[in-house]
């Protein structure tokens, strides 16, 4: 009979998961050394060794099926792996699973079987593979999805337009979002704390310039209008015709057309990358 202390000891020495350790010990008849060999052969040990690595490369991806779409970010440690067939295939499988199961959050998604697929590929290629984030989105029959993927998945944008079913038009707006990176679709969606911070900065700057108190308020209003024109998608100058705002461009395509929402995933944003010595990395891989 395999004891809890045996499982704990194997977990400590290998970093593998509890169930993997238990199964390996059972298969090895309680022999810890044989269990380690079993874990290595299954790729679990290699996957566990990569668990604390930073995976900041990879790709973002969009997949659409009828009125449901998913946008996701799947990470690897190197761009080389991200361009490989195994990684590309896994990204598609994960997207398909997310569309079918529509999990409530990342933990639920991983527990649904996706984590097993990530671990399997990690063990096979020797690099940490991680699903960082995803968003499953639904639209109505009278709306349009737009999917735009930039630079092979470095940036992906999913848009929803109302008042039209023109996916090509929705994709054009996706290009706008990829290029201009707006904070929100419209001004009433910008967080109030961000607005207050912007106003505070402007006031401090103007006071430092010895501007009279009676005109500071009007100057701040003007600066906030400029802020909205940069931060809010519908108020931004349209990249293909900067004489028009994005909303004016949509108005020219038909009455009642506007952007319902958008999702923009940029690969690795917010992840701190670590530069390692190449020789040391090779030695670690050989261990």
């Amino acid at each position: 009979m395999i004891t809890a202390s045996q499982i704990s000891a194997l977990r400590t020495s290998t970093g593998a998961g509890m169930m993997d350790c238990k199964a390996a010990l059972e298969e090895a008849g309680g022999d810890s050394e044989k269990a380690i060999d079993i874990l290595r052969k299954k790729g679990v040990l290699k996957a566990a060794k990569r668990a604390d690595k930073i995976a900041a490369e990879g790709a973002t991806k969009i997949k659409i099926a009828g009125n449901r779409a998913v946008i996701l970010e799947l990470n690897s440690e190197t761009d080389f792996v991200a361009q490989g067939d195994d990684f590309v295939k896994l990204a598609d499988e994960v997207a398909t699973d997310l569309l079918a199961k529509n999990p409530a959050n990342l933990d639920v998604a991983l527990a649904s079987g996706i984590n097993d697929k990530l671990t399997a590929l990690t063990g096979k290629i020797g690099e940490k593979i991680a699903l960082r984030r995803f968003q499953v989105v639904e639209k109505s029959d009278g709306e349009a999805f737009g999917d735009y993927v930039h630079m092979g998945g470095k940036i992906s944008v999913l848009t929803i337009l109302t008042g039209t079913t023109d996916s090509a038009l929705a994709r054009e707006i996706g290009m706008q979002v990829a290029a201009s990176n707006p904070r929100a679709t419209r001004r009433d969606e910008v967080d109030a704390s961000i607005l207050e911070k912007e106003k505070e900065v402007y006031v401090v700057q103007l006071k430092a310039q010895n501007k009279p108190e009676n005109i500071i308020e009007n100057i701040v209003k003007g600066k906030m209008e400029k802020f909205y024109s940069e931060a809010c998608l519908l108020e931004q100058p349209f990249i293909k015709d900067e004489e028009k705002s994005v909303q004016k461009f949509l108005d020219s395509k038909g009455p009642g057309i506007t952007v319902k929402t958008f999702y923009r995933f940029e690969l690795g944003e917010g992840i701190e990358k670590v530069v390692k010595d190449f020789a040391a990395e090779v030695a670690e891989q050989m261990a």
Side-chain angles (χ1 to χ4, degrees), residues 26-45:
E26 288 174 345
E27 186 176 339
D31 188 315
S32 295
E33 293 301 318
K34 288 183 180 179
I36 291 174
D37 287 338
I38 290 168
L39 290 172
R40 291 185 67 185
K41 289 174 183 177
K42 290 182 176 180
V44 174
L45 182 57

Side-chain angles (χ1 to χ4, degrees), residues 4-5 25 86 98-99 119 131-132 147 150 177 187-188 206 216 227-228 240 271-272 276:
S5 61
L25 283 165
D86 287 335
L98 292 171
L99 279 174
T119 300
L131 175 62
R132 185 183 181 208
D147 59 323
H150 184 65
V177 174
R187 63 174 62 188
D188 61 6
L206 292 168
I216 285 179
F227 169 81
Y228 285 128
K240 292 185 177 180
I271 299 177
E272 183 178 353
K276 294 188 67 174

Side-chain angles (χ1 to χ4, degrees), residues 168-179:
L169 179 60
R171 186 175 184 275
E172 277 198 86
I173 302 303
M175 293 174 63
Q176 170 84 26
V177 174

Side-chain angles (χ1 to χ4, degrees), residues 32 42 74 93 100 104 106 111 116 122 129 136 157 162 191 205 216 223 227 255 260 283:
S32 295
K42 290 182 176 180
L74 188 67
E93 289 178 358
L106 185 58
D116 292 338
T122 296
I129 307 298
V136 177
V157 178
T162 59
D191 190 276
Q205 290 174 343
I216 285 179
K223 286 182 174 292
F227 169 81
K260 182 178 183 179

Side-chain angles (χ1 to χ4, degrees), residues 183-184 186-195 227-228 231-232:
R183 292 173 182 256
R186 43 189 59 82
R187 63 174 62 188
D188 61 6
E189 296 174 3
V190 181
D191 190 276
S193 63
I194 293 175
L195 298 179
F227 169 81
Y228 285 128
C232 302

Side-chain angles (χ1 to χ4, degrees), residues 97-173:
D97 286 351
L98 292 171
L99 279 174
K101 299 172 182 176
N102 192 14
N105 54 51
L106 185 58
D107 288 338
V108 174
L110 293 173
S112 71
I114 288 176
N115 194 55
D116 292 338
K117 295 180 179 181
L118 302 179
T119 300
L121 186 56
T122 296
K124 178 180 179 180
I125 65 177
E127 272 198 23
K128 180 179 179 180
I129 307 298
L131 175 62
R132 185 183 181 208
R133 53 180 170 161
F134 72 91
Q135 184 70 49
V136 177
V137 185
E138 296 188 350
K139 71 171 185 67
S140 69
D141 289 338
E143 297 173 334
F145 277 136
D147 59 323
Y148 177 72
V149 180
H150 184 65
M151 292 180 63
K154 298 299 183 185
I155 299 174
S156 287
V157 178
L158 177 64
T159 59
I160 303 178
L161 298 192
T162 59
T164 182
T165 58
D166 188 344
S167 59
L169 179 60
R171 186 175 184 275
E172 277 198 86
I173 302 303

Side-chain angles (χ1 to χ4, degrees), residues 148 168-169 171-173 175-176 179 236-246 249 253:
Y148 177 72
L169 179 60
R171 186 175 184 275
E172 277 198 86
I173 302 303
M175 293 174 63
Q176 170 84 26
Q236 288 181 338
F238 183 52
I239 53 175
K240 292 185 177 180
D241 182 0
E242 295 193 352
E243 295 299 314
K244 297 178 180 178
S245 67
V246 170
F249 165 71
K253 297 297 180 179

